[in-house]
Amino acid sequence: MDGMEARELAYFVAVAEELSFTRAAQRLGIAQPPLSRAVKQLERRLGVILLERTSRRVALTVAGQVLLEEGRRALEGLAAGTRRARRAGRPDPRLTLAMKAAGDGGLLPDILAAFESEPEAVAIEVLFCGFGEQAALLRGGFADVGLLHGRPDLTGLDSETLLVERQVVVVPVRHRLAGRAVVTLADLDGEVMPRWAGPPQGDADGLEGPEVRDAGQLMQLIAMGRTVAVLPESVRAYLGGDVVCIPVLDAPPTAMVIAWPEQSRSPALAAFVRAATGVVAHRGARWGPDGDRSGAGVREW
């Protein structure tokens, strides 16, 4: 970081977010005078005023607003790099895979078996997460590779599409639609849909229902009759006898991708991606029944 130290930048970001030297000092666990001196020193280094200070308020200048956004990214990148370096230097090397419970489309056992035959194979540590959290875990350096669904934000990541599949609606066995062979989205009008915890996923169809954090919770809520959910067809492998799934004819296909941080140089990661794409190629399951390759219009679940 040209002209500044990471400590100075962290101090400035705290003040800029709190808009108070007192609250920022409390947040950082330091006294206020050294915090004020560090921010003034940063301004001298850069040759610009970052904060407008009066006896009543602290406000960001235009330069301060720019540095706040850039500084956040820089500090996040530094923290992520530190986590990756520590993991890479472990005496017991391993890859951390971020995924939702039941979020592998039934592919993971075959992928792990194929990966074990690779010369670069290492132990795999699975980090189960909530809906839509995988990309943030990858960018933050908490995971090396992830399985993501729908249309996640892939900024800062490389990825390969593994599977595109049609969607089904999962309903309790006594639901009004449970005996149907197929349904359309119009048939779901008025149904209570879950709210995915985590990053915003866009407007949900139907009435707003309970907040859901993982697949097990979702299936229990469906069985209780509290909600229904439109999900990838591979969810069939994880259903109990108290729910049923029905193909939704006009729901857009949904994609599962494997993603990893840009510019990764890990031979083990490359071998894992190679194993995953090889399993999919062997199964011939890359594209969905109608050949759609985009997954357009699908929310991440």
Side-chain angles (χ1 to χ4, degrees), residues 32-78:
Q32 185 173 331
L35 175 59
S36 298
R37 288 195 297 270
V39 173
K40 288 179 181 177
Q41 180 174 326
L42 177 58
E43 290 178 319
R44 287 195 297 271
R45 285 177 185 271
L46 298 179
V48 297
I49 301 299
L50 300 171
L51 297 167
E52 294 177 347
R53 309 161 179 85
T54 70
S55 59
R56 293 173 178 251
R57 63 191 288 267
V58 175
L60 285 167
T61 65
V62 173
Q65 292 172 351
V66 171
L67 186 60
L68 173 59
E69 295 304 315
E70 297 293 339
R72 282 170 171 160
R73 283 194 287 269
L75 292 173
E76 289 168 358
L78 180 61

Side-chain angles (χ1 to χ4, degrees), residues 148-154 200-201 253-255 294-301:
L148 293 74
H149 293 259
R151 299 184 65 191
D153 177 8
L154 295 174
Q201 299 298 317
T254 182
S294 65
V298 181
R299 289 189 303 275
E300 187 179 0
W301 66 281

Side-chain angles (χ1 to χ4, degrees), residues 92-197:
D92 54 338
R94 62 187 60 198
L95 289 178
T96 300
L97 168 67
M99 58 175 284
K100 304 183 306 293
D104 65 330
L107 298 174
L108 189 56
D110 287 348
I111 292 173
L112 293 178
F115 179 61
E116 288 175 359
S117 67
E118 294 278 349
E120 301 87 357
V122 297
I124 298 293
E125 183 176 66
V126 179
L127 175 60
F128 290 108
C129 59
F131 296 103
E133 295 177 350
Q134 300 93 315
L137 291 171
L138 291 172
R139 282 191 289 267
F142 296 98
D144 304 294
V145 62
L147 296 177
L148 293 74
H149 293 259
R151 299 184 65 191
D153 177 8
L154 295 174
T155 303
L157 305 176
D158 288 326
S159 65
E160 287 280 348
T161 299
L162 292 181
L163 180 68
V164 175
E165 54 188 322
R166 67 178 180 177
Q167 297 196 83
V168 297
V169 62
V170 183
V171 301
V173 291
R174 293 181 178 83
H175 191 272
R176 63 182 178 86
L177 298 174
R180 297 274 296 272
V182 295
V183 298
T184 65
L185 291 173
D187 293 323
L188 304 180
D189 286 347
E191 292 291 340
V192 175
M193 297 290 182
R195 292 178 292 118
W196 310 124

